[in-house]
Amino acid sequence: MVHRIMTRRTLEMLTFDNTYARLPQTFYAKLNPTPFGNPPYLIHANSVAAELLDLDLGQCTRPEFAHLFGGSALAPGMEPLAMLYSGHQFGVYVPQLGDGRAILLGEATNGRGERWDLHLKGAGLTPFSRDGDGRAVLRSTIREYLCCAAMQGLGIPTTQALCLVGSDEKVYREQIETGAMLVRMAPSHVRFGSFEVFYYRKQHENLKILADYVIAQHFPHLRGTDEQYARFFTEAVERTATLIAQWQAVGWAHGVMNTDNMSILGLTLDYGPYGFMDDYDAGFICNHSDHNGRYAFDQQPYIGLWNLSCLAQALLPLAEKEALKAGLDAYTPRFEQEYLRRMRDKLGLVAEKPEDDELIRDFLALLQDSQADYTIVFRELSAFSSVEGASNGKLRDHFLDRDRFDQWATRYRDRLRIEESDDRERQIRMDRVNPKYVLRNYLAQTAIEKAQQNDFSEIDRLFTLLRNPFTDQPGMEAYALPPPNWGKHLAVSCSS
Ligand code: AMP
Ligand code: MG
């Protein structure tokens, strides 16, 4: 305990560096955040993220905190910059993107020697803003803030959100909205597109500098090994495959899987029009602007591979083509292995049997045809009774074609028997992997609408709830229900 107190820091004790700022000048544009016209104020701070910086949570309520993380002040050692990158957007190469409304303030180092990029989203115009205004609206920052917490609670790799800072500044979108800033934290914000930009500009020297930097900072075990660039690529492949398997298993769609939104560390990055599914629909498109369904839920695994092939192409000047190809070939088996493992866990199956794949697919087909709620049905499946003759009536009621459910239930029961599964023990295991609470779109929408009336209580309630999505929380039953009619199929677009 004494040790903990001693390691907690005040704001003034935070130490900043910026290794990215020491890379060649073509990698970024150095500039400071543009403060809001009105004083920024704290809307919410994330105690878990603060702990990663050894920051005492009490520090977050100081006005200095909102100034520092709301773009109005800098700390010694910060060297703010907007990162350059490009990327494939909806399949089309865009030669220059870059941080158009976010600024990398610097890297905070903690007592464990970790470095955390602090990236301020909504920090004003940068040379990469193109037609945008450099700002983020309250609505989109709340969505990112809450979903980071939700992903963290679900154990899915993600960037973190340290805090949400508000202001009274007006921002113009389809209508007038209020601006806000969010501090995003990650060990690195390097994206696939950070490599693509130097490949397509034929700046192979810079490509190598970036790869060496990323390997030194984040893959140090590969440094100086044979084929280090191809190995680095293979690790990126494995992390990406694992990440997308986790998205699929929990029923989450990213919505804008452009290569500039793909983290080199395999983190969920850039929360825009994402969505957790309510009713199960394999073709679920959460992004209202995605007219062709390129980023539909069931396309995500293929898009992951497509995006990795863009990264492989960008690494061609550094690594043997065959080695990169071997890395790409590792994607599908890795994805399938990770996905199947998670789906088996969701069904409470311990052993691996060849017929599991079909058992899972048929269950999903049943869900699809009945438009059953993905989260609720999996959570209720844990209470499935494998006793001969049990009707499993509550679960059965979710399905339109009861006979088909009964046939599936018989197969499931037989499968459980093969491994001598114990119902009670299985239920405990299943409740640890099938969340009770997810960030349904309508829940985020409720928090947003209250926040727009200056009531931030729902943000706090959801934040607390979603950090422990597997645990029944007293008084929170309503948050585990399907969406009300108004909250089904809410349209969310890229405009944020
Ligand atoms: P995203 O769809 O959020 O990944 O953004 C794609 C590109 O558009 C990135 O280069 C962003 O920095 C840029 N961008 C998005 N919104 C804005 C904005 N309001 N102002 C300036 N640039 C933006
Ligand atoms: Mg982006």
Side-chain angles (χ1 to χ4, degrees):
M1 197 62 203
V2 173
H3 176 69
R4 279 178 77 86
I5 290 167
M6 283 172 61
T7 57
R8 288 302 171 84
R9 300 178 186 186
T10 60
L11 270 181
E12 290 71 19
M13 288 160 73
L14 289 180
T15 50
F16 289 96
D17 185 13
N18 196 340
T19 54
Y20 213 79
R22 295 201 282 278
L23 294 172
Q25 284 177 14
T26 39
F27 282 57
Y28 49 75
K30 285 195 179 175
L31 83 168
N32 291 342
T34 309
F36 287 128
N38 301 300
Y41 53 85
L42 182 73
I43 294 178
H44 205 271
N46 178 342
S47 53
V48 184
E51 197 154 326
L52 293 172
L53 305 181
D54 304 334
L55 190 63
D56 191 311
L57 193 62
Q59 294 290 308
C60 302
T61 48
R62 290 174 53 195
E64 290 86 351
F65 182 91
H67 277 91
L68 186 58
F69 296 123
S72 296
L74 293 174
M78 282 182 172
E79 259 179 278
L81 58 87
M83 296 167 86
L84 168 74
Y85 52 82
S86 65
H88 281 82
Q89 296 193 313
F90 288 88
V92 178
Y93 185 66
V94 182
Q96 185 179 298
L97 292 162
D99 291 332
R101 55 158 168 178
I103 290 180
L104 177 65
L105 296 173
E107 296 153 18
T109 48
N110 68 17
R112 295 174 293 287
E114 296 165 349
R115 288 170 172 271
W116 288 95
D117 273 11
L118 298 189
H119 210 230
L120 186 61
K121 240 179 145 169
L125 290 173
T126 80
F128 310 121
S129 296
R130 297 182 296 159
D131 299 332
D133 59 2
R135 291 300 188 201
V137 295
L138 180 62
R139 164 175 58 86
S140 71
T141 51
I142 291 173
R143 282 177 53 85
E144 170 146 5
Y145 188 79
L146 290 176
C147 202
C148 284
M151 295 303 236
Q152 196 74 41
L154 291 164
I156 300 178
T158 179
T159 59
Q160 317 237 357
L162 173 65
C163 59
L164 196 53
V165 175
S167 86
D168 295 326
E169 182 137 319
K170 298 278 171 279
V171 175
Y172 299 89
R173 295 289 182 268
E174 280 108 42
Q175 56 205 39
I176 298 176
E177 299 196 38
T178 42
M181 294 193 203
L182 172 136
V183 176
R184 181 165 65 183
M185 275 173 54
S188 169
H189 281 80
V190 173
R191 304 131 191 274
F192 291 9
S194 313
F195 287 90
E196 288 179 281
V197 71
F198 294 131
Y199 171 75
Y200 285 98
R201 288 184 181 183
K202 299 193 170 51
Q203 296 177 359
H204 296 171
E205 187 54 34
N206 285 336
L207 192 65
K208 183 172 178 316
I209 292 171
L210 179 63
D212 288 340
Y213 169 81
V214 168
I215 291 172
Q217 296 281 328
H218 306 290
F219 301 84
H221 53 288
L222 300 179
R223 216 173 163 179
T225 59
D226 274 3
E227 301 189 326
Q228 58 171 334
Y229 303 115
R231 286 189 192 200
F232 149 64
F233 175 68
T234 303
E235 289 204 17
V237 167
E238 289 166 354
R239 289 185 190 206
T240 305
T242 305
L243 175 70
I244 296 175
Q246 286 173 277
W247 292 353
Q248 299 309 112
V250 81
W252 187 83
H254 181 287
V256 203
M257 286 177 71
N258 293 333
T259 56
D260 52 301
N261 291 338
M262 297 293 290
S263 149
I264 205 72
L265 300 181
L267 307 171
T268 310
L269 171 69
D270 242 343
Y271 291 86
Y274 67 80
F276 283 91
M277 275 196 277
D278 297 309
D279 299 350
Y280 180 72
D281 174 12
F284 171 56
I285 302 168
C286 59
N287 181 353
H288 196 57
S289 320
D290 182 8
H291 304 297
N292 297 320
R294 179 181 172 87
Y295 298 137
F297 174 72
D298 61 358
Q299 296 304 302
Q300 297 190 121
Y302 308 109
I303 292 292
L305 180 60
W306 194 91
N307 288 345
L308 283 160
S309 72
C310 292
L311 178 62
Q313 168 128 16
L315 294 173
L316 275 173
L318 301 181
E320 292 295 331
K321 190 173 176 179
E322 285 311 309
L324 292 170
K325 199 169 163 309
L328 267 185
D329 288 345
Y331 177 84
T332 302
R334 169 63 72 121
F335 171 79
E336 281 173 1
Q337 176 197 341
E338 295 289 336
Y339 176 70
L340 252 179
R341 182 163 70 78
R342 287 182 170 79
M343 295 310 285
R344 273 199 190 95
D345 289 347
K346 285 176 81 68
L347 288 177
L349 302 174
V350 178
E352 293 178 20
K353 301 282 175 198
E355 66 267 29
D356 294 348
D357 194 14
E358 211 178 325
L359 189 71
I360 293 162
R361 275 173 210 269
D362 290 347
F363 190 57
L364 294 179
L366 267 173
L367 287 174
Q368 172 103 28
D369 293 346
S370 302
Q371 296 183 358
D373 189 279
Y374 188 74
T375 306
I376 293 176
V377 171
F378 269 102
R379 184 76 179 186
E380 287 186 9
L381 186 64
S382 68
F384 181 87
S385 166
S386 62
V387 173
E388 190 79 50
S391 71
N392 287 298
K394 186 164 176 246
L395 182 65
R396 193 172 184 261
D397 282 348
H398 287 288
F399 300 94
L400 292 178
D401 185 342
R402 306 281 156 88
D403 291 341
R404 227 172 107 211
F405 170 74
D406 289 341
Q407 285 159 20
W408 184 87
T410 305
R411 284 163 62 202
Y412 181 45
R413 191 183 59 213
D414 293 347
R415 175 65 184 80
L416 292 172
R417 289 219 177 131
I418 293 176
E419 61 184 47
E420 297 176 6
S421 187
D422 172 79
D423 278 358
R424 236 181 314 163
E425 187 264 342
R426 177 176 52 80
Q427 176 161 23
I428 293 167
R429 265 189 292 114
M430 286 173 73
D431 282 350
R432 287 198 198 116
V433 294
N434 290 309
K436 175 153 183 170
Y437 311 102
V438 292
L439 183 60
R440 296 176 186 275
N441 249 345
Y442 93 91
L443 290 175
Q445 189 57 29
T446 307
I448 289 166
E449 283 169 20
K450 285 197 176 168
Q452 284 167 339
Q453 308 300 320
N454 289 320
D455 173 0
F456 304 122
S457 60
E458 195 62 19
I459 297 176
D460 187 52
R461 196 168 297 120
L462 285 174
F463 181 86
T464 307
L465 178 77
L466 295 168
R467 295 217 61 96
N468 290 298
F470 302 109
T471 315
D472 286 320
Q473 297 184 37
M476 301 303 279
E477 282 307 314
Y479 290 80
L481 295 176
N485 278 335
W486 70 262
K488 289 181 182 162
H489 314 293
L490 291 174
V492 187
S493 74
C494 277
S495 130
S496 51

